[in-house]
Amino acid sequence: MTLCNPSKRLASSALTLTISFPTRHLTPRRHSRTLFSWLRSSTRPKTNALDPLANISQKPVLPPSQTAGDLAPSSIFEQEDAASEFPSQPSSQGSVNPSTRPRRRDPSLTAPALDPHPLARQRWERKILIRSLHRRFRTRKSVRLLRTERSSVSKSQFLETSIKKLGPLARQIAGKPIEDAMMQMRFSKKKVAGEVLKHLRYARDEAVVRRGMGLGAVQDGKEKKAGVVVERSGRKRVVGDQTGIYVDQAWVGRGSYGREPDYRARGQVYTLRPPTTSITVLLREEATRIRLSKENEEKRKMKRAWVPLPDRPVTAQRQYCLW
């Protein structure tokens, strides 16, 4: 059969055409990684086809620099910071070298601990100011004594003893100087006296560090005659240092009860409930006791003397009883 018809020749040529579109993604291919391809892919910037704005190069975000803070004037480290040699060390160009400058504290970092609730503090200050205006800026005696005299309250942990055993020790150390109270507990025969001695040492150190008590001899350097105090026993004693620490009050508190097994005969087990007790001491300075002694002496002098009944004749008496 011959293809002499033009239409037949066109149809035969269409059947013989080959498809020329790429088919690389349809055929399986094994990926091979070389050193050059890894270097080329690592140096090539990564682009995001879905988000064009992400392809724009951005500067790295640096953490905010800390603002300079300083110590409070009432801090015990203020003198050491002022006498530090680092801020005054000039460099070779004549300016202060920032690398040798000590790091200042950031107030925002200490604010959660020193001022956790600023709004509540402002409301409290406003209330106190309004109260002082109502009283015409006249302070009560109790407030004035709290501002001028120092004290420290320290409570111990719960000790494995009873109130009946710990109470006599609390009454023994009340009213004595801290050193005398520690000496009493040191040579006491009571078993719990050792724990009381440890707590007295801790309370003394806490009063010195946190309240600044007992530092008069260190500041003045000389012992001066401060006054005469009257102890609870009635004995008078000369005080050389007004900042001396003494135990003003000491009391005990009942704690929770424990549970211990008590094995008995015939397989029985009882339950013991050992008690726990805490001791709390109130430490004050000798200046407080000197003031109290002076006030008691003034009250005793202002008290009127007792006058007996006048010698008057007895009247309205009968000779016989009226029963």
Side-chain angles (χ1 to χ4, degrees):
M1 182 178 179
T2 60
L3 297 175
C4 56
N5 193 356
S7 60
K8 292 182 179 181
R9 289 197 302 268
L10 182 61
S12 62
S13 62
L15 292 176
T16 57
L17 291 176
T18 59
I19 300 174
S20 62
F21 59 88
T23 58
R24 290 180 297 176
H25 61 281
L26 300 178
T27 57
R29 181 181 178 185
R30 185 176 63 180
H31 296 274
S32 60
R33 297 182 60 88
T34 60
L35 179 61
F36 299 100
S37 63
W38 179 78
L39 292 175
R40 185 169 60 254
S41 62
S42 60
T43 56
R44 184 183 304 171
K46 297 181 179 180
T47 58
N48 190 356
L50 300 179
D51 190 4
L53 299 178
N55 301 330
I56 302 175
S57 60
Q58 299 178 358
K59 297 182 180 180
V61 180
L62 300 178
S65 59
Q66 297 182 355
T67 57
D70 200 357
L71 297 175
S74 60
S75 177
I76 60 177
F77 303 103
E78 181 66 20
Q79 298 179 357
E80 298 180 3
D81 183 73
S84 179
E85 299 179 358
F86 292 104
S88 60
Q89 284 185 357
S91 60
S92 58
Q93 288 79 11
S95 60
V96 178
N97 189 3
S99 61
T100 59
R101 185 174 301 170
R103 180 181 298 178
R104 300 289 184 177
R105 293 190 300 177
D106 189 3
S108 61
L109 299 178
T110 58
L114 300 180
D115 193 9
H117 305 288
L119 296 180
R121 177 183 54 80
Q122 294 176 4
R123 289 195 300 266
W124 179 83
E125 292 176 353
R126 181 177 179 272
K127 182 180 68 174
I128 295 300
L129 180 60
I130 294 175
R131 184 183 301 176
S132 62
L133 288 175
H134 288 315
R135 295 174 180 172
R136 299 179 182 178
F137 294 98
R138 292 176 297 183
T139 58
R140 294 175 296 179
K141 182 180 178 180
S142 58
V143 177
R144 186 170 62 255
L145 292 179
L146 289 175
R147 293 177 179 177
T148 55
E149 299 178 357
R150 301 176 181 178
S151 61
S152 176
V153 181
S154 179
K155 180 181 178 181
S156 69
Q157 60 183 359
F158 289 105
L159 309 176
E160 296 182 357
T161 184
S162 62
I163 292 181
K164 185 177 180 180
K165 297 178 181 179
L166 192 59
L169 297 180
R171 290 189 291 270
Q172 183 179 356
I173 64 177
K176 290 183 173 59
I178 188 67
E179 301 298 336
D180 295 351
M182 293 170 59
M183 188 66 66
Q184 292 287 335
M185 294 296 101
R186 179 181 176 185
F187 294 100
S188 178
K189 297 182 180 180
K190 302 295 183 180
K191 180 180 178 181
V192 74
E195 301 295 333
V196 178
L197 176 60
K198 294 179 182 179
H199 179 63
L200 287 177
R201 291 175 179 172
Y202 172 77
R204 179 196 58 184
D205 299 342
E206 184 182 16
V208 172
V209 174
R210 300 186 63 180
R211 301 296 182 180
M213 301 169 59
L215 300 178
V218 178
Q219 295 175 359
D220 299 338
K222 296 181 181 180
E223 246 184 54
K224 300 180 181 180
K225 182 179 179 181
V228 180
V229 299
V230 181
E231 298 181 352
R232 294 188 177 183
S233 60
R235 183 173 60 91
K236 293 185 178 180
R237 183 171 58 87
V238 179
V239 177
D241 185 13
Q242 290 188 0
T243 61
I245 304 175
Y246 77 99
V247 183
D248 185 31
Q249 300 178 23
W251 63 91
V252 296
R254 190 188 304 273
S256 60
Y257 289 87
R259 299 179 66 90
E260 293 182 2
D262 183 18
Y263 300 99
R264 310 295 295 180
R266 298 184 180 182
Q268 295 182 355
V269 180
Y270 295 166
T271 301
L272 299 178
R273 299 185 63 195
T276 58
T277 313
S278 65
I279 181 172
T280 308
V281 293
L282 173 61
L283 304 182
R284 294 185 183 274
E285 292 183 341
E286 293 290 349
T288 303
R289 187 147 58 172
I290 293 174
R291 177 185 57 82
L292 294 176
S293 300
K294 291 181 179 179
E295 291 179 357
N296 295 335
E297 186 68 19
E298 293 177 359
K299 288 181 181 179
R300 188 182 64 82
K301 291 180 180 180
M302 294 298 294
K303 187 177 181 180
R304 294 181 179 180
W306 179 76
V307 180
L309 296 176
D311 190 6
R312 292 179 297 183
V314 180
T315 59
Q317 295 291 332
R318 289 193 170 97
Q319 183 180 3
Y320 304 102
C321 298
L322 299 178
W323 59 69

